[in-house]
Amino acid sequence: TDDGFAASLKLNGQPCNKYGQDIASLTLSVRFDTSDRLHVHISDTEKTQYQIPQWIVPLDKGLGVDKRHHSLEFTHAHNETSGFGFKVQRDGEAIFDTTGHVLVFEDQYLELTSNVAADANIYGLGESPNWFRRNPDNTTITLWNRDVADPFGENVYGSHAVYMELQSKSAKFHGCYLHNSHGMDVVLAPGTVQYRVLGGTLDLYIFGGPTALDVIDQYTQLVGRPACIPYWALGFHNCRYGYTSVDEVNQVIANYSRARIPLEAAWTDIEYMDKTRDFTFDAVNYPVSEMKKQLDALHARGQKMVLITDPAIHVDDAYGTFVRGRDQDVFIKNADGSLYVGQVWPGYTVFPD
């Protein structure tokens, strides 16, 4: 078609089946979605691999643009040693180039490698407490959500498989987003960026930039713009784990006023709960009566209260929240229909779906 094409890919040689079963028949789909966004999707022809449903993460499809008038150029090649590869160029400069690298597509492991500059300027691939510019010298960035106390350089709460790169020669930015919800490592090495993914498909979106703001605009046009937030959320907030009582929190709030530091919101972490169970209060250290007084005092000064709630419900027949959720069938289940049970702060927990 004018805005793209599709092609079939076949397994090059014998399967290795190293991390799963090699998939012998793939489909390559290339579409020029908008004037500065290119969609490259490599999927299994039989469509048995998991793909994120459109109703879960609605993506903007774009109107489609004639490839002859697009800002990006797509080419592909076959190498006797490495097999299929493709290259995306902007004004003659490669911004995503897999040529010369083996493509691995198994049911439980995908591997795709792109050439970059030896000292590439890459930003993104969160969530991780790290330097703004990612270290391109043999750095493994893991995308696997977990709740941990901010270890430098490691994975934490969220996974965002999107990056932007600043080309040193042209001083232009471009971006790349992999639409895949499986756990993965993105390995930065001198001259390459490599995806190692635990399943799904290689659903790539390339953004032409050329400025950093352009890349962000093109990315959020695809996945959705940020939601509008209340004005007070932009102010200074106090949030800390470890306060032992409502009295201690009240003292912290008072200290802000005493120091003449504007405070928009006071957060209280899970210590306020009874045995860290959602929708409860510790009757000794955080009695409801005192929490109401704190709320009234904050509201009287135009301030807000935020109580942290974990999406993990303690498994206990004596705990009303668990019983009601079970009776209403709201918890995530295993394939056999049993409740999916994890372990969080209260102990064994289930999770609302």
Side-chain angles (χ1 to χ4, degrees):
T1 63
D2 289 341
D3 61 1
F5 69 93
S8 297
L9 304 177
K10 300 298 181 182
L11 184 63
N12 187 30
Q14 295 299 312
C16 65
N17 298 327
K18 188 173 183 180
Y19 299 108
Q21 297 298 313
D22 281 87
I23 297 177
S25 179
L26 304 177
T27 298
L28 167 69
S29 174
V30 178
R31 184 173 186 266
F32 296 85
D33 287 351
T34 70
S35 61
D36 41 36
R37 185 179 84 217
L38 175 63
H39 183 196
V40 180
H41 191 191
I42 302 175
S43 61
D44 58 312
T45 303
E46 297 297 325
K47 298 188 180 301
T48 59
Q49 292 288 98
Y50 178 78
Q51 297 183 41
I52 303 172
Q54 176 74 3
W55 64 269
I56 292 181
V57 182
L59 296 182
D60 173 71
K61 298 297 184 181
L63 296 176
V65 176
D66 191 320
K67 53 182 175 289
R68 295 171 296 180
H69 308 300
H70 200 273
S71 62
L72 303 179
E73 178 186 2
F74 180 93
T75 58
H76 59 89
H78 177 78
N79 181 282
E80 289 298 326
T81 302
S82 58
F84 169 79
F86 68 89
K87 181 186 296 186
V88 179
Q89 294 176 286
R90 178 191 54 203
D91 300 328
E93 182 178 45
I95 61 174
F96 201 90
D97 178 13
T98 73
T99 58
H101 301 284
V102 173
L103 164 66
V104 179
F105 202 113
E106 299 180 345
D107 58 352
Q108 297 184 71
Y109 182 75
L110 314 178
E111 184 176 292
L112 182 72
T113 307
S114 175
N115 298 310
V116 295
D119 193 27
N121 301 301
I122 292 177
Y123 308 87
L125 299 172
E127 182 180 6
S128 172
N130 212 321
W131 302 113
F132 185 51
R133 174 179 178 264
R134 298 305 191 213
N135 183 355
D137 188 12
N138 298 316
T139 297
T140 298
I141 301 171
T142 297
L143 274 63
W144 182 266
N145 300 0
R146 62 176 184 153
D147 180 3
V148 68
D150 297 335
F152 185 80
E154 297 182 19
N155 49 307
V156 287
Y157 298 104
S159 294
H160 303 275
V162 59
Y163 73 84
M164 68 170 67
E165 181 184 358
L166 172 61
Q167 299 276 45
S168 297
K169 291 183 180 180
S170 64
K172 294 180 179 180
F173 284 90
H174 64 272
C176 180
Y177 168 58
L178 176 60
H179 189 55
N180 187 305
S181 60
H182 290 74
M184 69 182 77
D185 284 340
V186 182
V187 182
L188 306 181
T192 61
V193 54
Q194 183 179 78
Y195 295 93
R196 301 174 181 175
V197 193
L198 295 180
T201 65
L202 294 168
D203 196 2
L204 292 160
Y205 291 86
I206 312 296
F207 310 106
T211 70
L213 186 59
D214 289 333
V215 173
I216 294 170
D217 180 58
Q218 293 151 16
Y219 171 62
T220 56
Q221 181 187 23
L222 172 68
V223 301
R225 306 296 190 187
C228 185
I229 61 176
Y231 183 66
W232 63 267
L234 299 173
F236 197 92
H237 296 218
N238 183 81
C239 179
R240 178 180 178 273
Y241 176 79
Y243 294 131
T244 58
S245 69
V246 64
D247 293 333
E248 186 176 4
V249 178
N250 286 334
Q251 186 61 51
V252 170
I253 296 170
N255 287 342
Y256 275 89
S257 297
R258 188 174 296 110
R260 301 176 63 83
I261 299 175
L263 180 67
E264 292 294 334
W267 293 56
T268 303
D269 213 317
I270 60 175
E271 298 91 352
Y272 75 86
M273 301 178 187
D274 178 26
K275 302 182 180 67
T276 63
R277 299 179 180 190
D278 284 335
F279 313 119
T280 66
F281 286 89
D282 180 340
V284 175
N285 297 307
Y286 290 88
V288 172
S289 59
E290 294 302 313
M291 294 296 288
K292 287 182 177 179
K293 290 180 183 177
Q294 183 186 96
L295 178 63
D296 291 341
L298 287 168
H299 284 178
R301 295 189 294 269
Q303 297 167 306
K304 307 292 184 181
M305 172 194 282
V306 180
L307 300 180
I308 288 181
T309 303
D310 286 337
I313 303 301
H314 188 217
V315 177
D316 186 344
D317 289 336
Y319 176 35
T321 301
F322 168 73
V323 174
R324 289 191 299 273
R326 182 186 58 193
D327 292 345
Q328 295 175 34
D329 197 24
V330 302
F331 297 126
I332 294 173
K333 294 182 178 180
N334 296 305
D336 63 3
S338 61
L339 292 178
Y340 175 80
V341 178
Q343 188 166 2
V344 194
W345 293 98
Y348 292 125
T349 54
V350 289
F351 307 90
D353 188 348

